[in-house]
Amino acid sequence: LVHASLPCTGGSSWTYVNRAAHGNERSDEQRATFLKLLKSLKSFLRLISGPKLYLSFELPKSCMYWKWGVVRKFVKEHELVPYLVDGCAVGVVDKTGAPIRKTWRFASNLPSMEDLASCKCTCSHGHAQSRGDGLKQAENYTFKLTHKIHRAFVREVGMASSVGGTVVSGSASDLKGPGGILKGKKKGTKVTGAACIAVAVGSPSAG
């Protein structure tokens, strides 16, 4: 299983506000970075060999990148199915403990990821706003969410309690860094023996 989360800043709803207030230069750079990282992700996926490549790709629900042709093509090519997750349903809160209903969209070809569909808001009161400090709090996945993703993979491959084999996680730069699975590898080398690879390409998504 490869899980990828690319930086969404240039595609967030706040981009419209920032472009109006500060111009387009910064958001244009952020969007260019996203496209470069998506291209790198595609190259990385071509290095992986095995009977089945499971992929999970995440951006916030409201991110405009989902509407981009290059992203829609990527989703179609890998036959990814969308699943929406409300942050408050998996323990996302601000510094005061108030729930934040940031909604992520996970697109995956892992059938058991359908378990994420149950992560819907059941709050009987209001939510904290996902901006400022609250936005920073909402950037990261909670253990409850990552546990659900791990369990989905375990269930799909038919393992009773844990994922066997090698588990690799880290940022894109780690892949060729000290001890990285691609360190010293020539172009075209296939990655084998890794049961689960979690790749945060760039910074965690926010927005």
Side-chain angles (χ1 to χ4, degrees), residues 82-86 112-121 148:
Y83 302 100
L84 299 181
V85 175
D86 289 332
S112 54
M113 284 283 278
E114 65 182 8
D115 293 350
L116 294 181
S118 64
C119 299
K120 301 300 182 185
C121 174
K148 282 183 174 292

Side-chain angles (χ1 to χ4, degrees), residues 47-53 190-194:
L47 295 175
I48 302 174
S49 65
K52 179 65 177 180
L53 168 62
K190 297 294 183 179
V191 178
T192 59

Side-chain angles (χ1 to χ4, degrees), residues 2-7 33 36-42 44 47 168-178 180-183 197-204:
V2 174
H3 175 72
S5 174
L6 276 64
T33 297
K36 290 179 181 178
L37 291 174
L38 181 60
K39 183 178 180 180
S40 295
L41 174 61
K42 292 177 181 179
F44 174 69
L47 295 175
V168 183
S169 64
S171 67
S173 60
D174 293 332
L175 298 176
K176 288 191 176 181
I181 60 174
L182 299 184
K183 181 176 175 58
I197 305 174
V199 184
V201 184
S203 61

Side-chain angles (χ1 to χ4, degrees), residues 39-137:
K39 183 178 180 180
S40 295
L41 174 61
K42 292 177 181 179
S43 297
F44 174 69
L45 294 177
R46 287 194 290 270
L47 295 175
I48 302 174
S49 65
K52 179 65 177 180
L53 168 62
Y54 288 117
L55 173 63
S56 173
F57 180 76
E58 177 270 315
L59 288 169
K61 175 188 174 183
S62 60
C63 182
M64 70 174 65
Y65 295 155
W66 287 113
K67 298 179 180 180
W68 283 14
V70 65
V71 175
R72 293 165 69 105
K73 181 179 179 181
F74 178 77
V75 169
K76 183 177 181 180
E77 286 179 346
H78 292 279
E79 301 179 326
L80 307 182
V81 177
Y83 302 100
L84 299 181
V85 175
D86 289 332
C88 55
V90 290
V92 178
V93 296
D94 68 5
K95 292 181 178 180
T96 68
I100 297 177
R101 192 184 177 177
K102 171 185 176 177
T103 304
W104 287 292
R105 176 181 290 176
F106 290 81
S108 179
N109 60 351
L110 181 67
S112 54
M113 284 283 278
E114 65 182 8
D115 293 350
L116 294 181
S118 64
C119 299
K120 301 300 182 185
C121 174
T122 58
C123 299
S124 58
H125 47 77
H127 300 85
Q129 290 188 329
S130 182
R131 69 178 186 180
D133 290 340
L135 182 59
K136 295 298 293 183
Q137 291 291 109

